[in-house]
Amino acid sequence: MKKIIIASTSTIHNSQYLEYLLPVLKNHFNNVKTLLFIPYARPSGITHDEYTQKVATAFSKLDITVKGIHEYENPTQAIAQAEGIFTGGGNTFLLVKQLYNNNVITAIQKAINNGTPYLGCSAGSNICGLTMETTNDMPITYPPSFKTLGFVPFNINPHYLDPIEGSTHMGETRETRINEFHSLNSQPVVGLREGSWLEVQGDTITLRGNLTARIFEQGKAAVEVVPDTDLSHLK
Amino acid sequence: MKKIIIASTSTIHNSQYLEYLLPVLKNHFNNVKTLLFIPYARPSGITHDEYTQKVATAFSKLDITVKGIHEYENPTQAIAQAEGIFTGGGNTFLLVKQLYNNNVITAIQKAINNGTPYLGCSAGSNICGLTMETTNDMPITYPPSFKTLGFVPFNINPHYLDPIEGSTHMGETRETRINEFHSLNSQPVVGLREGSWLEVQGDTITLRGNLTARIFEQGKAAVEVVPDTDLSHLK
């Protein structure tokens, strides 16, 4: 049975890295002693080792040891044997390119569909959707495909941002961008604000956190849904 | 001799479409009676016809007729015979995909290098750089490559946006994103604020407009340059 947390962000304002999620993660990873971390998205270009160390510090509060996937000779085997998997945020284009280049897409899908608990934050959440085509990131490198893991039958827009009142900037708002996505693509998009996450338990998908989320479906007006809404029907 | 205007945006706040640029365009396109418009970027998913009509309305003030490239049976020939070319803004991924799918990249490069005057705004400016890897757009479709026209030996970041003071949003600032680009790529990036443009005359590249621009070079601190700065050395 799938057991997944798809979080908008690792970090909320005025809080430590992953701090707001720790009570949830304690339960989510309750059988995990060693967590496999995928640092490929490398925020601000930090190294895989630096990123893994940052994550290890956060998970030490739950007495969970963290090992980076780059520390293993055989990443596919590391995934198959993992007790739990966490993919951190950063740049989605770089993350997806590395997932393809290291040939681990299928291994992750198999492990998570078989019940290995998964956590994604930001870029690590984007890849839980059907495609990465609703990421906010800059395309700093060219991945071989935009198709992603498809743990949910729609797309994710993490760090969802409402239009800034009084802004004089003429660049597209997030909603305009997602509407442009829907001029070419039919799958729904869930705009997750910072502090929200989706909890996936088998085929049940539930919005968690204290904030509403914004749901975009092709040809319909966007709607706000409240925390604890069941989104399992969305596809 | 190349004769190019690379504008951050088509529209500045509280102003009509292209209005702030019209005096410049009057001179830039002074020998042009019919302008070839490339509407592939389709902002908000509008049709090629709708977009071309919008542009035609703006250029009617300069007594210039506008024809969309989609109105021609042979787009390559339309480019070769164009008196002037304008590529409008919208989604850069869609624009680049269409440029490749319609097989017009080489034709545009040839025409512009031979002196056909060119105007790019936003997405149409992104493609003037070496790659589209510093666009702000959402990757709503998968282009066959991120390589673009290379009219200048660096990358463009249009709609350049300074960090918003007091923001509690945890998504990356524009500067962070460009620094992530430089963790993987070596070419400079010119952050053009709305209201700025680059004027290319042969091998001379000059910042125009009333605002400073922000120059990012790999391994260096970003710097601000004032209007009328010669950027020809940047590569």
Side-chain angles (χ1 to χ4, degrees):
Chain A
M1 193 183 85
K2 283 191 289 193
K3 199 179 162 194
I4 303 172
I5 289 174
I6 301 172
S8 174
T9 185
S10 62
T11 314
I12 57 173
H13 187 64
N14 277 334
S15 178
Q16 296 293 307
Y17 184 71
L18 289 176
E19 188 182 341
Y20 80 103
L21 272 177
L22 284 181
V24 176
L25 298 180
K26 187 175 178 167
N27 178 52
H28 188 64
F29 289 132
N30 66 343
N31 290 320
V32 175
K33 292 205 164 51
T34 302
L35 181 66
L36 181 68
F37 178 57
I38 301 178
Y40 294 155
R42 295 175 54 205
S44 299
I46 62 172
T47 67
H48 292 156
D49 278 341
E50 286 164 346
Y51 199 8
T52 303
Q53 186 49 54
K54 178 179 176 170
V55 171
T57 302
F59 276 95
S60 69
K61 293 166 195 160
L62 302 180
D63 290 321
I64 293 174
T65 301
V66 173
K67 275 196 81 167
I69 193 169
H70 63 290
E71 300 173 44
Y72 293 87
E73 254 185 62
N74 185 334
T76 307
Q77 198 175 35
I79 289 162
Q81 295 175 349
E83 299 165 42
I85 298 173
F86 170 32
T87 306
N91 184 284
T92 308
F93 293 85
L94 180 56
L95 169 59
V96 170
K97 185 175 183 175
Q98 293 291 93
L99 291 174
Y100 278 102
N101 285 358
N102 289 296
N103 208 17
V104 292
I105 298 268
T106 309
I108 298 173
Q109 287 172 321
K110 200 171 162 188
I112 275 53
N113 286 328
N114 283 340
T116 306
Y118 177 92
L119 166 67
C121 291
S122 193
S125 292
N126 263 314
I127 60 172
C128 295
L130 292 174
T131 74
M132 56 164 285
E133 289 169 312
T134 48
T135 176
N136 313 306
D137 293 338
M138 196 169 257
I140 61 174
T141 193
Y142 187 70
S145 169
F146 283 167
K147 282 195 191 143
T148 45
L149 299 167
F151 295 146
V152 290
F154 46 78
N155 268 33
I156 306 289
N157 180 251
H159 300 281
Y160 183 76
L161 196 57
D162 293 290
I164 296 160
E165 231 176 293
S167 170
T168 60
H169 190 71
M170 303 300 287
E172 294 88 349
T173 64
R174 191 66 59 80
E175 181 151 346
T176 300
R177 294 174 192 278
I178 295 171
N179 288 337
E180 288 184 352
F181 171 78
H182 275 148
S183 74
L184 300 177
N185 302 277
S186 62
Q187 67 262 42
V189 179
V190 174
L192 279 177
R193 294 187 178 84
E194 294 177 347
S196 294
W197 66 95
L198 297 179
E199 176 194 284
V200 182
Q201 295 276 353
D203 292 328
T204 305
I205 306 167
T206 315
L207 174 65
R208 299 294 188 199
N210 298 320
L211 303 169
T212 62
R214 196 156 177 86
I215 311 292
F216 300 86
E217 291 185 88
Q218 194 184 36
K220 296 186 188 176
V223 294
E224 291 287 325
V225 294
V226 297
D228 304 325
T229 296
D230 185 332
L231 295 172
S232 315
H233 63 283
L234 202 64
K235 63 182 178 187
Chain B
M1 192 183 87
K2 282 191 291 191
K3 200 179 162 196
I4 303 172
I5 289 175
I6 301 172
S8 174
T9 184
S10 61
T11 314
I12 57 172
H13 187 64
N14 276 336
S15 177
Q16 295 295 307
Y17 183 69
L18 288 176
E19 188 181 341
Y20 80 103
L21 271 177
L22 284 180
V24 176
L25 298 180
K26 188 176 177 166
N27 179 53
H28 188 63
F29 289 132
N30 65 343
N31 290 320
V32 175
K33 290 201 166 55
T34 303
L35 181 67
L36 181 68
F37 178 57
I38 301 179
Y40 294 155
R42 295 176 55 206
S44 299
I46 63 171
T47 66
H48 292 156
D49 279 341
E50 287 165 346
Y51 200 8
T52 303
Q53 186 49 55
K54 178 179 176 170
V55 170
T57 302
F59 275 94
S60 69
K61 293 165 197 161
L62 301 180
D63 290 322
I64 293 175
T65 302
V66 173
K67 274 196 82 169
I69 193 169
H70 63 290
E71 299 172 45
Y72 293 87
E73 253 185 61
N74 185 332
T76 306
Q77 199 176 34
I79 290 163
Q81 295 175 349
E83 299 166 42
I85 298 173
F86 169 33
T87 306
N91 185 283
T92 308
F93 292 86
L94 180 56
L95 168 59
V96 170
K97 185 174 184 175
Q98 293 291 93
L99 291 174
Y100 278 103
N101 284 358
N102 290 297
N103 207 19
V104 293
I105 298 270
T106 309
I108 299 174
Q109 286 170 324
K110 201 170 161 187
I112 275 54
N113 286 327
N114 283 341
T116 306
Y118 177 92
L119 167 66
C121 290
S122 194
S125 291
N126 263 316
I127 61 172
C128 295
L130 293 173
T131 73
M132 55 163 285
E133 289 170 312
T134 49
T135 176
N136 313 307
D137 293 338
M138 197 169 257
I140 61 172
T141 195
Y142 186 69
S145 170
F146 283 166
K147 281 193 192 144
T148 46
L149 299 166
F151 294 146
V152 291
F154 46 77
N155 269 31
I156 306 289
N157 181 252
H159 299 281
Y160 182 76
L161 197 57
D162 293 291
I164 295 160
E165 231 176 292
S167 171
T168 59
H169 190 70
M170 304 300 286
E172 295 88 348
T173 64
R174 191 67 58 80
E175 181 151 347
T176 299
R177 294 175 192 278
I178 294 171
N179 287 337
E180 288 184 353
F181 171 79
H182 275 148
S183 73
L184 300 178
N185 302 277
S186 61
Q187 68 262 43
V189 179
V190 175
L192 279 178
R193 294 188 179 84
E194 294 176 348
S196 294
W197 66 95
L198 298 180
E199 177 193 283
V200 182
Q201 295 275 356
D203 292 329
T204 305
I205 306 168
T206 314
L207 175 64
R208 298 295 187 200
N210 298 320
L211 304 168
T212 62
R214 198 158 177 85
I215 311 291
F216 301 87
E217 291 186 87
Q218 194 184 36
K220 297 187 187 175
V223 295
E224 291 288 324
V225 294
V226 298
D228 304 325
T229 296
D230 184 332
L231 295 172
S232 315
H233 64 282
L234 202 63
K235 62 183 176 186

